[in-house]
Amino acid sequence: MRRARLPDDEKERIQALLAADVLDTPPEADFDALTRIAAAICGTPIALVSLLDAHREWFKSKVGLAASEVPRDVSLGAHAILEPDLLVVPDTRKDDRFADNPLTTRDPNIRFYAATPLRTAQGHAFGTLCVIDHVPRQLTGEQRSALRDLGQQATAQIELRRIVSDLRRAVTDREQAEAALRRALETAAPPGTIASSKGPARPGWIALAALLVPLALTLWAAGAANARVQRRREERFARATDEVAEAITERVEGYEHLLEGGVALLAASGEVSRGGWRSYVESLHVRERYPGLLALGYAVRVPEEQVAAFESRLRADGILRSVHPIAGQGEHFPVLYVEPAGANDAALAFDVGSEPRRRAALETARDEGRPIMTANIALIQDTGRAPGFLVFAPVYEDDARTATVEDRRRHLEGFVLAAARTEDVIRATSVVSPDVDLEVYDGRSPDPNALIYDRVPPVQPIEPRGGRLSSLRTIAVSGRPWTLHVTALPAFDGGPTSWEAAIILAGGGLGSVLTAALVWSLAAARSRAVATAEGMTRALRASEQRARSVMETVADGIVTFGRDGKVQSANPAAQWLFGRRLADLVGRDIGALIPGLVAAPSGRVEAEAQRADGAVPVDVAVTPTAGSESFVASVRDVSERRAAEQALRHSEQRTRSILDNMLAGLITIDGDAKIESVNRAAEAIFGYASAELVGRSLGMLVPETVGDRAAYLRTAFPRAIGRITEWQGQRKNGDVFPFELSMFEFTTGTGTRFFGGSVRDVSERHAVEKLKQEFVSTVSHELRTPLTSIRGSLSLLGGGVLGDLSDEAREMVTIAERNCVRLIALVNDILDLERLEHGRLHMDIEAAPLRDVVARAREAVQAFADDRQVTLEMDPTPIVVQGDAGRLVQVLVNLVSNAVKFSAPGGSVRVAVEEAGDKARIAVIDHGRGVPASHRAAIFERFRQVESSDSREKGGTGLGLAICKAIVEQHGGEIGVDSEEGKGSTFWFTIPSAPAVDGFLEMFRVADGRPDVLVADHDAALLGVVVRHLVGAGVSVRVAFDAAEAERVIRETAPRLLVVDLGLPEGEGRELLDRLRGDERLALLPVLVYSEQDVAERLQRVLALGPTRFLTKSRVTDAEMRSVVTEMLGAAQEGQA
Amino acid sequence: MKVLIVDDEPDIRRIARLGLSRVGKMDVVEASNGAEGLLRAKEERPDAVLLDVMMPTMDGPTTLARLREDPATAGIPVVFLTAKAIAAEVDRLKSLGAAGVLTKPFDPMSLARDLRAALGLS
């Protein structure tokens, strides 16, 4: 453990403490409030106001600690009072001052300690305000400054007590002096007066008294006066030292505010351009307001590999400089911007991390997250190489966490930096206390090598009376210690020496001496009052300075104006906002700057700020200052927000107008089927105005005839999502009409789920379709009848039934008949195609063995093939497809007869069948002339044949392939042709395979008495697993693959338990349960919902209207499922018994 | 074998008659509408009726039903002749109790053979 050394000012410190008369006094609310606030702000369990006398650290106020004092040997505060500023010890175990301190190693187990020293106006630290925690931690910037501020409050409280105690002493002094005067006057009274009362007078005693008393009084008064003069001189000197130290600190703090302003600008603007930086610095009027400051710059963190990118960024701004000096540290901090330009250009691209002193400061700034000053350096832009310094303020990435050192290191972006020549900075403070000499040393001691400022060249000063006054003071400037050596100059003692003469003159006469004593006593009291007033003025100035720095760095414009509406002040943000310099703003009428604004308090109002280049929308709030002498307007530029709002409004209008002008109706509803919005088309379709619909249930658009409208909607939703389905709707006038509905689900930014439905009234289309159907039917009949007659007649003629014809006549009849047959085929194909394309051709989709399809096609084409001397080769196949066998035969006949047509006599046509994924691929292969590549796509369109002569030569209507395509596509398959010209073609099509039926499960689909359990699941694989487990447990099982089958089995065989997967296609499981629970005979059937996904609690409640349990497949083992089933079966058995 | 042809189109009747009589060597009687068809069926007691589906006033299905209602004609097999050559229509007509369905346009040269096949005679 390291014991703290005694401070250099130990004696003065103790005196100041004793003067305050505060040691060992009872707790006071003023101090207790401070410790409570400190603990609350810093979030620590312990906070203390401690005072250090010669032997101990005594706690004037404490939160969270039982002890009332600790010996100075182990006191933490003894270390804290040695610090110029706040001491923060994040982890006492890692600090060799505290690591083995008993307060760290034993109760109260201190781990974290932060203390701000309490100092008198003369700089004597007599105690601390500290916060303590049992765990290691850090303080944020806000917490640090709060702790400092609270420390000042504590100091002020103690100073107040000292002043009160001083005044009390002064009053006592005066009373004593007055009493002495009174006694002297009584003694010097005419002898007669005394004799009359006290008998005969004794003049010798009186003379002696008259001689001795004045003499003694004169001597006493003269001595006292001398002592007072000397004390006053010392006090004045101490004050001068304070003022010098304060002026320097304030000056550098001013730079810190500038830096913080720069950091705030970078944070607020995201990316600041060179021009932006320039105008920021210009707006600060550095030369006038911050004398000594040379430059304000921005250095960015640039990893080695990005140096070139940085340099090209400079080039883009027209600056041809490379990062210098070259130092291979992996990470560089070159200066990107520096202003004012010109004089500071030498600093551009200078790597401020390249030199150890600068680097040490910027690393500390980075780690501690606050502005830090470098040790004494020569600035690169200062050709005179005079002492100078940089202050770095770290800039972190936007919104990055900067709680820990690691965070801060990771998220560092760069530094805003201020460069100043030390001499200029300090000389600018010379107006303060010009009658003292000042030397400033970089560091904690007056090391001649570290001298950075000397106010007056050393001359031999005259040794004044009372000794030469001199003091050393170490101050902290932006985290850097500077030692000030202040010495009084002869001028310091110039004025008040006349005091001596006054005292000597006063010594001549009792009255004047006493008067002098009285005057002195009064003067002493006055001097203290003046000192107090000065202290208060200083505090006020500091508080004003703080307020000003806040004003200067906030993003909002802040303008103060008087009752007369004239602007009194404006912060830099306001100057930017109004586009006017301060001088141009002050005195202007606030109503001219923000029309409509008057000198009266207001809440937040929207207004427009008048700029030279136009109006800017702003939000303004006006509050009166205390006493309503003036008003503060906080003005925020909201042009970006307004623009965004307007863009949003436009976008909404655009969307609205698109929605309103689209032909389809659009209805959005919330999760409870309440209508949220409807567009114009939807209004027209249903005949309601939007206002009549919004907020009401979608059920009002459903026909009364459906019965339970809610149930109708429940089934509609899942079926309509993501596809077009047809439903019945009801208009306001009661008309029921068909509409097409396609639903989609969407989630808004707030996470609320909505459904949208695109609605198309298809009643007209239905009417047209009906007409067309009738037309087609009529045409079909009307065309066929005459064709039947023609063909019949020709057939009879050609057949020789009506007598022999000449050869020529027979030839003509044959031609007529052949063309008649073609015409009939054409009519048939057109009708077929028309029906196919409108999906009205009835299809019986079922499992169809391709073996049969191929055989039937062969049967149909064989004669034709024989005729053309073409061999048909058909592969045997076991594949079963899902399709309409008749239509598939039609397709295959078409393709095969085409192939035959285009095969040379003696050729062959082969039908090959193979499996392709979940489909069967049927290929018809010929060796004919092939299909040119250019025709391969078009060949499936209507009336497209490879050569126009084909239809005449080869017969056919030109619709065959189009019909094939329509049929195949209706099956969900594809059709195409592969061909090599001159070598033949392969026409192929695919048809979905029929699902393979698990032979094992099939055994459980046949009735075999009353089963224990019916398992309904669409997933055959999972079903197989469940069934095997249950059968293994001796349970008799039936299975069903869909809800309809399940319901049928339940009604036919009355199983004891239903195990159902709710994920059955299209929510069938859910509907099945609804139906079961709605049927009183089946309502009590025990059900185990064994689903893929967790069933939401809300749905569980809805479903659990009967004896229902829920299991999630992924969460239970099969054995657990089995035991639940047997348990439920057991319960069902008991229920029945 | 005697066949009653019921069709409102005289041309069709004529061609069908020629096909059945000349090629198929059948006896043929005709009726030009459903009502007449019922009458002729009762009078002539044909072995089969070739009945057009779409006819004015009384269509084929109605005529079939009426034939079935009368015990005298209820047993006569009826084969429809339809211009709607789609499977659903064929199924519908068969479900009404027809012995078979022949589609228009038909080939008179094979009409007799097709009719016999529909009646299950050959």
Side-chain angles (χ1 to χ4, degrees):
Chain A
M1 183 177 73
R2 250 174 51 195
R3 263 172 63 176
R5 66 176 171 84
L6 287 183
D8 302 333
D9 61 347
E10 176 73 6
K11 209 175 104 192
E12 295 84 353
R13 197 183 71 73
I14 300 273
Q15 272 170 2
L17 176 60
L18 295 176
D21 263 349
V22 69
L23 277 174
D24 299 310
T25 52
E28 286 177 74
D30 288 344
F31 292 98
D32 292 346
L34 294 177
T35 44
R36 272 200 312 275
I37 295 170
I41 289 178
C42 299
T44 54
I46 300 172
L48 306 167
V49 168
S50 75
L51 302 172
L52 277 130
D53 69 9
H55 311 289
R56 59 180 178 147
E57 183 174 13
W58 177 79
F59 306 133
K60 170 66 186 168
S61 172
K62 54 192 181 172
V63 167
L65 192 68
S68 61
E69 61 181 48
V70 295
R72 187 159 172 183
D73 287 353
V74 299
S75 144
L76 274 61
H79 291 277
I81 59 166
L82 298 174
E83 297 293 320
D85 185 23
L86 189 67
L87 167 67
V88 179
V89 184
D91 189 344
T92 52
R93 287 171 304 183
K94 293 180 182 156
D95 189 312
D96 57 7
R97 288 174 291 185
F98 309 109
D100 54 352
N101 187 304
L103 301 177
T104 297
T105 56
R106 291 196 292 275
D107 191 62
N109 293 310
I110 295 174
R111 289 289 175 273
F112 164 78
Y113 178 69
T116 182
L118 308 183
R119 283 183 210 283
T120 63
Q122 288 72 39
H124 305 307
F126 52 83
T128 73
L129 170 71
C130 65
V131 290
I132 290 172
D133 204 341
H134 307 299
V135 290
R137 51 180 302 160
Q138 258 295 355
L139 290 185
T140 64
E142 288 82 14
Q143 287 170 331
R144 283 166 191 265
S145 63
L147 205 55
R148 283 192 195 97
D149 288 348
L150 290 172
Q152 281 177 5
Q153 290 297 323
T155 307
Q157 290 290 340
I158 288 168
E159 284 281 276
L160 191 64
R161 279 154 186 72
R162 189 181 62 74
I163 289 166
V164 167
S165 155
D166 270 5
L167 282 173
R168 207 179 285 129
R169 262 198 299 274
V171 168
T172 316
D173 281 357
R174 198 176 64 195
E175 280 168 1
Q176 281 172 355
E178 278 171 2
L181 177 64
R182 218 177 294 118
R183 277 196 305 277
L185 286 172
E186 282 167 6
T187 316
T193 323
I194 295 172
S196 66
S197 60
K198 302 245 174 162
R202 292 183 201 160
W205 281 109
I206 296 165
L208 189 61
L211 182 71
L212 285 178
V213 170
L215 185 65
L217 280 172
T218 305
L219 285 174
W220 170 77
N226 254 335
R228 297 292 178 205
V229 166
Q230 183 62 17
R231 205 161 91 198
R232 211 188 137 190
R233 187 166 165 260
E234 281 169 8
E235 277 179 7
R236 211 155 55 78
F237 179 70
R239 210 155 53 232
T241 310
D242 285 348
E243 281 172 2
V244 168
E246 210 172 296
I248 294 174
T249 315
E250 247 180 44
R251 166 89 33 219
V252 179
E253 272 175 5
Y255 300 164
E256 284 185 20
H257 296 311
L258 282 189
L259 293 179
E260 280 159 6
V263 171
L265 172 72
L266 289 165
S269 319
E271 182 80 27
V272 172
S273 68
R274 187 168 300 280
W277 188 258
R278 180 163 300 158
S279 40
Y280 169 63
V281 176
E282 277 172 4
S283 77
L284 298 171
H285 303 283
V286 169
R287 196 181 294 272
E288 302 91 81
R289 290 200 214 151
Y290 301 94
L293 185 69
L294 284 184
L296 207 57
Y298 178 42
V300 290
R301 171 154 83 164
V302 176
E304 189 72 57
E305 67 274 11
Q306 288 172 19
V307 166
F310 173 83
E311 286 168 353
S312 68
R313 187 172 169 188
L314 281 185
R315 268 198 303 283
D317 282 346
I319 294 160
L320 300 174
R321 275 178 170 278
S322 45
V323 173
H324 62 284
I326 311 288
Q329 280 162 323
E331 194 177 49
H332 303 275
F333 294 94
V335 175
L336 176 61
Y337 304 143
V338 62
E339 293 292 335
N344 289 300
D345 285 355
L348 276 173
F350 174 68
D351 179 0
V352 290
S354 61
E355 183 270 329
R357 288 184 172 198
R358 289 174 172 88
R359 190 156 190 103
L362 66 83
E363 282 176 352
T364 310
R366 174 195 65 197
D367 290 354
E368 296 189 6
R370 63 181 178 118
I372 294 290
M373 181 190 284
T374 60
N376 179 33
I377 54 169
L379 293 171
I380 189 147
Q381 58 265 59
D382 179 13
T383 45
R385 317 305 272 172
F389 62 83
L390 292 175
V391 184
F392 292 103
V395 179
Y396 302 104
E397 289 159 22
D398 283 355
D399 305 327
R401 265 176 55 86
T402 54
T404 66
V405 171
E406 283 65 37
D407 286 342
R408 292 195 281 268
R409 288 184 179 173
R410 193 165 333 117
H411 298 297
L412 179 77
E413 276 197 334
F415 297 95
V416 175
L417 49 93
R421 207 183 283 125
T422 316
E423 193 188 342
D424 296 346
V425 173
I426 301 174
R427 194 172 47 224
T429 67
S430 65
V431 286
V432 177
S433 307
D435 45 6
V436 295
D437 182 21
L438 171 67
E439 288 163 6
V440 181
Y441 300 88
D442 182 31
R444 296 186 177 278
S445 62
D447 176 356
N449 295 325
L451 181 70
I452 52 176
Y453 177 78
D454 194 351
R455 186 181 271 185
V456 179
V459 289
Q460 190 59 45
I462 303 150
E463 191 72 8
R465 276 179 62 89
R468 187 178 165 141
L469 289 170
S470 169
S471 77
L472 276 178
R473 168 80 60 85
T474 300
I475 58 171
V477 281
S478 295
R480 181 78 202 159
W482 276 2
T483 300
L484 313 183
H485 184 204
V486 184
T487 317
L489 292 173
F492 188 80
D493 291 315
T497 42
S498 53
W499 262 106
E500 251 178 292
I503 292 167
I504 293 160
L505 281 173
L510 179 69
S512 48
V513 168
L514 289 171
T515 307
L518 196 61
V519 165
W520 163 80
S521 172
L522 290 170
R526 187 175 161 274
S527 117
R528 283 193 203 94
V530 167
T532 308
E534 281 174 357
M536 287 166 78
T537 308
R538 269 202 303 279
L540 198 64
R541 208 162 57 215
S543 129
E544 259 180 25
Q545 173 72 33
R546 269 197 297 279
R548 201 164 54 239
S549 65
V550 168
M551 272 180 64
E552 279 171 6
T553 50
V554 291
D556 287 355
I558 294 174
V559 177
T560 60
F561 54 97
R563 283 174 170 285
D564 58 358
K566 299 282 181 235
V567 172
Q568 295 165 341
S569 72
N571 70 345
Q575 295 165 33
W576 265 13
L577 198 147
F578 290 107
R580 295 175 193 279
R581 286 171 185 278
L582 184 63
D584 193 15
L585 282 173
V586 170
R588 245 172 219 281
D589 193 67
I590 189 73
L593 294 169
I594 305 174
L597 206 64
V598 291
S602 72
R604 217 196 68 172
V605 292
E606 294 185 356
E608 287 200 326
Q610 297 301 318
R611 289 173 57 100
D613 56 357
V616 178
V618 289
D619 275 0
V620 190
V622 178
T623 45
T625 57
S628 296
E629 283 310 307
S630 58
F631 296 87
V632 180
S634 165
V635 188
R636 176 169 298 180
D637 180 348
V638 293
S639 45
E640 270 176 41
R641 201 180 73 202
R642 293 277 167 81
E645 283 168 1
Q646 196 168 21
L648 189 66
R649 249 193 327 271
H650 282 165
S651 148
E652 272 172 4
Q653 275 166 3
R654 200 167 54 237
T655 309
R656 187 75 229 172
S657 100
I658 290 171
L659 291 179
D660 277 343
N661 287 300
M662 61 189 254
L663 289 173
L666 190 77
I667 300 180
T668 58
I669 56 169
D670 64 14
D672 299 322
K674 285 256 177 307
I675 297 170
E676 201 245 351
S677 75
V678 294
N679 70 347
R680 236 176 252 162
E683 288 179 326
I685 290 173
F686 289 96
Y688 288 96
S690 169
E692 296 174 282
L693 291 173
V694 171
R696 307 273 305 273
S697 166
L698 189 63
M700 69 187 285
L701 301 180
V702 174
E704 286 144 11
T705 49
V706 303
D708 183 353
R709 286 170 161 173
Y712 187 78
L713 289 175
R714 260 207 310 281
T715 55
F717 278 27
R719 284 192 197 159
I721 284 186
R723 64 191 112 162
I724 298 172
T725 47
E726 200 173 300
W727 300 85
Q728 296 286 311
Q730 186 164 24
R731 296 190 226 270
K732 191 181 181 183
N733 63 12
D735 284 358
V736 173
F737 70 104
F739 66 89
E740 273 180 359
L741 174 68
S742 170
M743 295 197 50
F744 52 93
E745 192 180 334
F746 62 99
T747 310
T748 61
T750 55
T752 320
R753 233 163 47 122
F754 287 95
F755 295 92
S758 165
V759 177
R760 193 180 290 273
D761 184 345
V762 291
S763 48
E764 226 167 273
R765 196 175 76 197
H766 276 208
V768 169
E769 270 169 14
K770 198 164 166 235
L771 270 177
K772 195 167 154 194
Q773 222 167 339
E774 282 164 5
F775 171 75
V776 166
S777 174
T778 308
V779 166
S780 123
H781 187 255
E782 295 303 324
L783 267 178
R784 273 161 205 263
T785 305
L787 283 170
T788 304
S789 300
I790 298 166
R791 193 202 157 177
S793 310
L794 293 169
S795 183
L796 288 171
L797 276 176
V801 176
L802 308 170
D804 288 340
L805 299 176
S806 69
D807 284 353
E808 275 178 333
R810 184 183 301 278
E811 194 193 338
M812 288 305 114
V813 168
T814 308
I815 291 170
E817 191 185 3
R818 191 170 66 227
N819 282 285
C820 188
V821 167
R822 269 184 67 193
L823 195 52
I824 289 164
L826 188 59
V827 168
N828 284 342
D829 279 359
I830 288 172
L831 293 174
D832 256 8
L833 195 60
E834 195 276 330
R835 281 195 290 259
L836 269 171
E837 287 183 347
H838 287 88
R840 280 190 292 100
L841 194 66
H842 181 77
M843 297 250 181
D844 284 321
I845 306 283
E846 56 195 2
L850 277 181
R851 193 180 50 222
D852 299 350
V853 171
V854 172
R856 280 169 66 186
R858 174 177 209 145
E859 207 175 293
V861 190
Q862 190 66 58
F864 178 59
D866 290 348
D867 202 35
R868 309 279 303 211
Q869 297 166 34
V870 173
T871 319
L872 296 182
E873 296 166 11
M874 310 260 176
D875 294 358
T877 170
I879 300 174
V880 178
V881 294
Q882 195 71 12
D884 181 324
R887 291 290 162 191
L888 294 182
V889 171
Q890 187 182 351
V891 172
L892 200 51
V893 165
N894 209 306
L895 297 181
V896 173
S897 53
N898 260 347
V900 169
K901 259 183 237 170
F902 290 101
S903 293
S908 68
V909 170
R910 186 169 150 245
V911 175
V913 180
E914 60 180 14
E915 272 188 275
D918 56 355
K919 292 199 171 78
R921 185 175 188 275
I922 300 106
V924 178
I925 305 148
D926 69 50
H927 305 284
R929 68 179 189 211
V931 181
S934 55
H935 287 65
R936 277 172 212 159
I939 201 171
F940 294 99
E941 292 171 20
R942 300 174 190 204
F943 301 111
R944 294 294 280 268
Q945 287 176 324
V946 173
E947 286 170 26
S948 54
S949 59
D950 280 357
S951 59
R952 279 195 305 283
E953 278 177 24
K954 307 289 181 188
T957 58
L959 288 174
L961 287 177
I963 289 173
C964 289
K965 183 166 189 266
I967 291 173
V968 168
E969 285 178 353
Q970 280 221 348
H971 279 82
E974 284 179 282
I975 191 163
V977 59
D978 304 327
S979 183
E980 201 176 330
E981 232 177 313
K983 297 216 171 152
S985 318
T986 298
F987 281 83
W988 54 265
F989 62 99
T990 61
I991 297 291
S993 306
V997 178
D998 186 336
F1000 168 77
L1001 286 176
E1002 278 307 291
M1003 298 193 319
F1004 296 92
R1005 282 182 92 173
V1006 286
D1008 184 22
R1010 182 184 183 189
D1012 290 326
V1013 180
L1014 169 66
V1015 187
D1017 195 330
H1018 62 280
D1019 186 336
L1022 284 170
L1023 197 53
V1025 173
V1026 173
V1027 169
R1028 280 178 176 88
H1029 271 274
L1030 293 181
V1031 170
V1035 175
S1036 71
V1037 178
R1038 270 292 291 272
V1039 300
F1041 285 93
D1042 56 43
E1045 188 183 0
E1047 192 173 4
R1048 186 169 50 76
V1049 174
I1050 290 166
R1051 293 187 189 281
E1052 280 171 14
T1053 68
R1056 293 185 176 85
L1057 171 67
L1058 168 66
V1059 177
V1060 66
D1061 179 5
L1062 272 180
L1064 285 167
E1066 312 217 10
E1068 281 177 17
R1070 166 76 198 274
E1071 287 175 35
L1072 173 64
L1073 286 190
D1074 283 347
R1075 278 199 300 279
L1076 293 182
R1077 295 308 184 216
D1079 183 331
E1080 47 176 73
R1081 281 171 307 153
L1082 297 172
L1084 290 175
L1085 171 68
V1087 175
L1088 173 61
V1089 175
Y1090 187 50
S1091 53
E1092 311 270 6
Q1093 283 151 9
D1094 290 349
V1095 175
E1097 202 182 305
R1098 196 167 58 82
L1099 191 54
Q1100 285 201 9
R1101 278 204 303 279
V1102 174
L1103 294 179
L1105 293 172
T1108 310
R1109 288 187 60 174
F1110 299 85
L1111 287 182
T1112 304
K1113 287 175 185 173
S1114 56
R1115 293 185 198 274
V1116 293
T1117 63
D1118 293 314
E1120 283 168 330
M1121 185 275 304
R1122 192 170 58 199
S1123 75
V1124 171
V1125 167
T1126 46
E1127 187 190 319
M1128 288 184 81
L1129 279 175
Q1133 210 87 41
E1134 275 172 36
Q1136 282 167 0
Chain B
M1 180 169 177
K2 189 196 276 181
V3 178
L4 167 62
I5 300 172
V6 186
D7 198 310
D8 59 319
E9 284 280 341
D11 290 353
I12 301 288
R13 287 205 300 275
R14 181 81 182 122
I15 291 164
R17 170 186 277 275
L18 283 173
L20 292 177
S21 58
R22 296 286 180 88
V23 183
K25 305 296 177 202
M26 294 174 175
D27 293 333
V28 175
V29 283
E30 293 177 30
S32 64
N33 58 52
E36 192 189 343
L38 292 177
L39 212 63
R40 302 293 287 173
K42 209 166 176 179
E43 283 170 11
E44 301 283 343
R45 304 292 169 101
D47 298 302
V49 179
L50 195 55
L51 181 58
D52 187 26
V53 175
M54 286 174 75
M55 287 184 296
T57 64
M58 189 189 289
D59 66 1
T62 314
T63 309
L64 171 61
R66 299 285 291 277
L67 283 171
R68 291 288 178 265
E69 281 168 13
D70 187 340
T73 55
I76 304 172
V78 172
V79 172
F80 276 119
L81 197 54
T82 177
K84 276 194 180 178
I86 56 174
E89 174 74 358
V90 171
D91 288 349
R92 185 180 75 87
L93 294 174
K94 279 188 177 167
S95 73
L96 293 175
V101 180
L102 297 181
T103 57
K104 288 181 187 174
F106 59 86
D107 183 351
M109 295 301 287
S110 64
L111 183 61
R113 193 170 67 221
D114 294 341
L115 180 61
R116 275 182 217 278
L119 293 170
L121 293 178
S122 57

